[in-house]
Amino acid sequence: MSETEPTTSEATSARDGADAATPSRRPGRERGRDDGKFGPYGGQYVPEALMPAIEELTDAYRRYVLGNEDGFMDEFRERLADFGGRPTPLQRADRLSERYDREVYLKREDLLHGGAHKLNNALGQVLLAKYMGKERIVAETGAGQHGTATAMAAAHLDIPCEIYMGERDINRQRPNVFRMKLNGAEVNPVTAGRGTLKEAISETMRDWATTVENTHYVIGSIVGPHPFPVMVRDFQAVISEEAREQSIEKAGELPTDVVACAGGGSNTMGTFAGFVDDEAVALHAVEAGGSTLEVDEEAGVAPNSASLYTGEEGVLHGARTKLLQDSDGQIMESHSISSGLDYAGVGPELAYLVDEGRVSPVAVDDDAALEGFHRLSSTEGIIPALETAHAFGFLEEHHEELGDRVVVNVSGRGDKDLDAAIEETDKRDIDEAPDMSMFTGGI
Ligand SMILES: *Cc1c(COP(=O)(O)O)cnc(C)c1O
């Protein structure tokens, strides 16, 4: 929406301090805002019934998010600070810096309220719904992380909230279901199909199509039809706006490399957005390599979630992007040790930036991620989410290819994953893992 933005003439040339203070003027930060197109990716592949909702939301995004109408962005920033706890620190990781013989900095999104980056987006969208005059929020959730962030934001802003969640996931994620209910949300079980995230998204879209007058759908990542991918990126971009300034403050210059894990890719684009135009800064998107990158076409299963690395172009949930699909174009079941990365697609903007050679995709398998989980816990005193742990698996395997100053986004904390970590650790022989033999029968 260039007409509501300052001109970009200075941003295209400058790479000085003033530029660092105004990352929102940078052209890479504006990609896709007009039409949601990222090369061949993105778009609005939705049924006719959803078009009015999409158009109304696009208009609201332009006015409130891009145009700061009624001071929307000011209120968003203030609530992110007071309710969310922003800014999050950029912390030098002393032991990892020593281990890898380069400066390693951690962007601590695990310290955001709720324990992950997800609140940046949930709070932005729920607040936008209020500005739009909506009286009800719906959202989908897989493992429950986006559902809990949305329920939290809805309670904070006093608006009724319903979460759609697959029946199988409800039974696997009891603490998150309890969290949502504690915050006053209703949790609607979805029994269709396999009862997981994919069906929950479809069910939420169905609800939204018939209730659009009073309801907003809070999507959980940089996926879905335009304007969701750009809007979610713009809400998450606060991560890199802070990290860019903090890097200059702490290290005196920009990082050489920026690393983030990628499921749908919202923490990823949030961490990359402010650096996209700094050609000298290498951007690494770390995907879940699962148990192997080999695909079992017969069974319709990809034992990984590496859609950037191995995916093919197709349409899912309203956008064209890279997907895990078989040769007939059927979406395959994905797998990862971390539920938050376990998705067959990825945001269209990331797919585009990978094709352009601007973002390097890397797959890190379950074993390396679990080792990363233990390494960060034992060396730095930070227990990361299993999603985040993939970024530390990447660091261990690829640090020799990186420059002198590396920023890694710690997308979330690992408290939610302790049961899974115990179970997965028990199956493996990991150097850094604690000795738990005092429990009879192991851990
Ligand atoms: C949900 C989640 C992710 C993956 O989502 P993106 O949209 O890819 O960022 C990564 N890390 C954590 C901690 C999460 O909760």
Side-chain angles (χ1 to χ4, degrees):
M1 191 55 189
S2 50
E3 55 269 35
T4 61
E5 286 287 297
T7 65
T8 56
S9 54
E10 50 190 7
T12 40
S13 58
R15 273 215 191 173
D16 53 19
D19 200 20
T22 55
S24 64
R25 294 187 188 190
R26 306 173 66 80
R29 280 279 283 103
E30 294 173 11
R31 184 173 289 119
R33 278 180 179 172
D34 292 332
D35 57 3
K37 289 274 170 58
F38 304 94
Y41 306 113
Q44 296 177 319
Y45 296 83
V46 296
E48 209 47 49
L50 264 182
M51 270 326 279
I54 294 286
E55 275 162 16
E56 190 188 342
L57 182 62
T58 305
D59 180 58
Y61 164 68
R62 288 192 174 138
R63 283 166 45 205
Y64 297 116
V65 180
L66 300 183
N68 194 29
E69 197 171 303
D70 299 340
F72 171 83
M73 286 303 284
D74 303 325
E75 181 172 350
F76 173 51
R77 293 296 152 109
E78 192 176 330
R79 288 185 187 275
L80 272 183
D82 295 349
F83 180 65
R86 299 212 76 90
T88 61
L90 183 76
Q91 180 216 330
R92 183 178 187 276
D94 295 338
R95 249 79 54 204
L96 289 186
S97 295
E98 201 175 310
R99 180 182 181 96
Y100 298 129
D101 196 23
R102 58 232 328 123
E103 295 293 300
V104 177
Y105 288 92
L106 308 176
K107 182 59 175 162
R108 298 289 308 275
E109 288 302 293
D110 59 312
L111 294 178
L112 188 68
H113 180 45
H117 68 289
K118 286 198 165 71
L119 184 71
N120 297 322
N121 169 47
L123 190 64
Q125 286 198 54
V126 174
L127 187 63
L128 185 66
K130 298 252 336 185
Y131 273 62
M132 292 170 75
K134 302 295 177 190
E135 290 158 354
R136 177 175 172 265
I137 295 295
V138 292
E140 88 291 345
T141 199
Q145 293 305 112
H146 174 57
T148 54
T150 305
M152 213 179 268
H156 171 63
L157 291 164
D158 192 23
I159 183 167
C161 174
E162 287 180 42
I163 307 290
Y164 288 93
M165 189 170 184
E167 197 163 53
R168 225 173 81 179
D169 285 335
I170 286 181
N171 289 313
R172 287 191 295 194
Q173 307 287 342
R174 285 170 36 118
N176 275 341
V177 175
F178 190 49
R179 270 185 205 118
M180 290 181 248
K181 287 176 167 276
L182 282 172
N183 286 145
E186 246 179 74
V187 180
N188 301 325
V190 177
T191 51
R194 289 172 49 240
T196 57
L197 178 63
K198 204 161 125 247
E199 292 83 24
I201 294 180
S202 308
E203 200 57 39
T204 318
M205 291 216 171
R206 242 192 303 279
D207 179 314
W208 195 35
T210 57
T211 57
V212 57
E213 263 118 88
N214 73 343
T215 299
H216 174 66
Y217 172 16
V218 178
I219 216 164
S221 191
I222 55 163
V223 299
H226 179 66
F228 283 112
V230 281
M231 181 172 69
V232 175
R233 175 201 67 196
D234 287 352
F235 288 142
Q236 292 289 358
V238 65
I239 301 172
S240 55
E241 284 163 18
E242 287 174 8
R244 198 172 190 283
E245 274 183 40
Q246 289 166 324
S247 298
I248 292 169
E249 223 167 82
K250 298 225 156 169
E253 39 193 337
L254 291 177
T256 54
D257 298 84
V258 175
V259 182
C261 66
S266 67
N267 93 92
T268 334
M269 270 322 298
T271 310
F272 292 173
F275 297 103
V276 153
D277 295 315
D278 299 303
E279 291 291 331
V281 180
L283 307 174
H284 308 271
V286 186
E287 296 191 291
S291 50
T292 168
L293 291 178
E294 305 276 309
V295 163
D296 186 349
E297 276 238 5
E298 295 276 291
V301 174
N304 60 68
S305 308
S307 34
L308 284 174
Y309 199 73
T310 68
E312 309 257 354
E313 206 176 310
V315 172
L316 178 65
H317 295 138
R320 181 170 288 279
T321 186
K322 288 183 191 286
L323 302 170
L324 300 177
Q325 53 189 325
D326 64 20
S327 45
D328 298 327
Q330 293 295 318
I331 306 299
M332 287 192 285
E333 211 176 294
S334 57
H335 161 80
S336 168
I337 194 176
S338 66
S339 51
L341 301 185
D342 197 346
Y343 179 62
V346 66
E349 183 169 13
L350 267 181
Y352 169 78
L353 291 172
V354 164
D355 282 1
E356 290 293 291
R358 183 65 191 95
V359 167
S360 315
V362 208
V364 164
D365 68 18
D366 288 345
D367 293 344
L370 198 66
E371 282 172 20
F373 172 88
H374 285 291
R375 195 172 308 112
L376 190 70
S377 302
S378 62
T379 59
E380 296 290 344
I382 299 167
I383 300 171
L386 282 174
E387 291 84 3
T388 314
H390 287 73
F392 293 93
F394 164 80
L395 215 55
E396 180 78 7
E397 289 176 354
H398 295 274
H399 61 272
E400 281 175 2
E401 300 149 33
L402 306 180
D404 299 339
R405 292 175 309 284
V406 184
V407 169
V408 185
N409 189 40
V410 183
S411 57
R413 66 176 185 224
D415 305 50
K416 69 181 177 66
D417 292 326
L418 294 182
D419 283 343
I422 290 172
E423 197 180 304
E424 296 293 336
T425 302
D426 210 22
K427 295 183 201 158
R428 295 167 171 88
D429 185 18
I430 296 174
D431 283 350
E432 281 109 332
D435 175 12
M436 299 290 275
S437 57
M438 71 277 239
F439 293 115
T440 47
I443 53 173

